[in-house]
Amino acid sequence: MKYALFGFGTVGVGVFEMTDRLPELHCEKVLVRTGKVKEAWQTDDVQAILADPSIEAVAEVMGGLHPAYEYLSAALKAGKHVVTANKQLVAEHGFELLQLAKS
């Protein structure tokens, strides 16, 4: 499965390195902050990830509410599976995100 990673701080790098060893998972793109793109597999354009039909899922490791909420909402609307451990986001918007996932 190809997935995208939203965030590339300490947690994001750890997820990237961990999943890099799993043949069934491939991180296709990593969303980084504007001006931080250093590799071809990095992007600062969330729309490029959402529009890519080969990317089936996104993992959000940015933290905080914004823009994490907007990005995950858009990913669900684009038909992507989403994974997050963002407790603040789930506490504040979990019900809304669940409704989007169901639709």
Side-chain angles (χ1 to χ4, degrees):
M1 170 187 281
K2 291 183 181 180
Y3 78 97
L5 194 56
F6 289 178
F8 205 55
T10 302
V11 175
V13 169
V15 170
F16 182 85
E17 290 174 349
M18 217 171 39
T19 60
D20 192 43
R21 294 178 245 174
L22 302 172
E24 62 272 12
L25 288 177
H26 174 70
C27 185
E28 189 71 14
K29 287 285 181 190
V30 175
L31 182 68
V32 296
R33 292 181 184 178
T34 301
K36 299 289 185 179
V37 175
K38 295 179 182 167
E39 304 288 343
W41 43 266
Q42 294 177 335
T43 184
D44 57 7
D45 180 7
V46 71
Q47 293 304 319
I49 292 170
L50 299 178
D52 185 339
S54 74
I55 297 174
E56 298 177 58
V58 298
E60 180 272 319
V61 291
M62 299 166 53
L65 289 177
H66 305 285
Y69 171 71
E70 291 79 12
Y71 290 173
L72 285 190
S73 295
L76 288 167
K77 290 175 184 173
K80 310 287 186 199
H81 300 284
V82 300
V83 176
T84 186
N86 185 333
K87 294 178 281 254
Q88 183 182 15
L89 179 64
V90 172
E92 299 258 345
H93 298 288
F95 182 75
E96 297 164 52
L97 293 171
L98 184 59
Q99 293 306 312
L100 280 174
K102 287 180 179 180
S103 66

